[in-house]
Amino acid sequence: MSLRKASVLEMATAAYELDASVKRGVLRKVEGHWTVMGDDIDNWLKQFDGQEVVLIAASLSDERPLEAHTCRTCGREYAGLECLHCRDARIRLRGR
């Protein structure tokens, strides 16, 4: 699995853990309505009517490499959502 795809799925997992509404599947336009896995997106979005929201659409088919970042804590370069070295250290120090 590509690092980009893994990062997108990690972002979706974080949204699930926040009890956010997440859709995954192929986006299609059927009879003038956008659907994901047969679910009408308009109907899905009605639950958020009148609320401030953040909508994120990320393709799992995108194979572009992720841009490298420099960790502000340890100074190492990493690609993805977080520095894996610092993540491992946090997990180790928290006793998990």
Side-chain angles (χ1 to χ4, degrees):
M1 181 182 327
S2 75
L3 186 56
R4 177 176 293 278
K5 185 174 182 177
S7 294
V8 168
L9 292 174
E10 187 175 339
M11 183 172 48
T13 299
Y16 278 119
E17 290 173 358
L18 290 172
D19 202 24
S21 186
V22 177
K23 290 282 184 193
R24 179 181 175 184
V26 178
L27 178 67
R28 298 197 188 282
K29 194 166 191 175
V30 178
E31 297 176 5
H33 296 277
W34 288 104
T35 65
V36 172
M37 299 302 289
D39 295 334
D40 189 318
I41 297 299
D42 285 337
N43 289 332
W44 178 65
L45 289 173
K46 283 181 186 176
Q47 65 183 313
F48 302 108
D49 188 29
Q51 300 176 40
E52 183 177 9
V53 299
V54 173
L55 296 176
I56 299 172
S59 173
L60 293 176
S61 301
D62 190 343
E63 293 297 328
R64 289 178 294 156
L66 291 178
E67 187 177 315
H69 302 281
T70 301
C71 179
R72 294 180 184 173
T73 303
C74 71
R76 289 182 170 87
E77 283 197 3
Y78 68 95
L81 298 176
E82 63 183 338
C83 172
L84 294 179
H85 173 78
C86 290
R87 179 182 177 271
D88 290 343
R90 278 193 309 277
I91 290 170
R92 187 178 64 255
L93 292 171
R94 291 179 183 162
R96 295 183 186 166

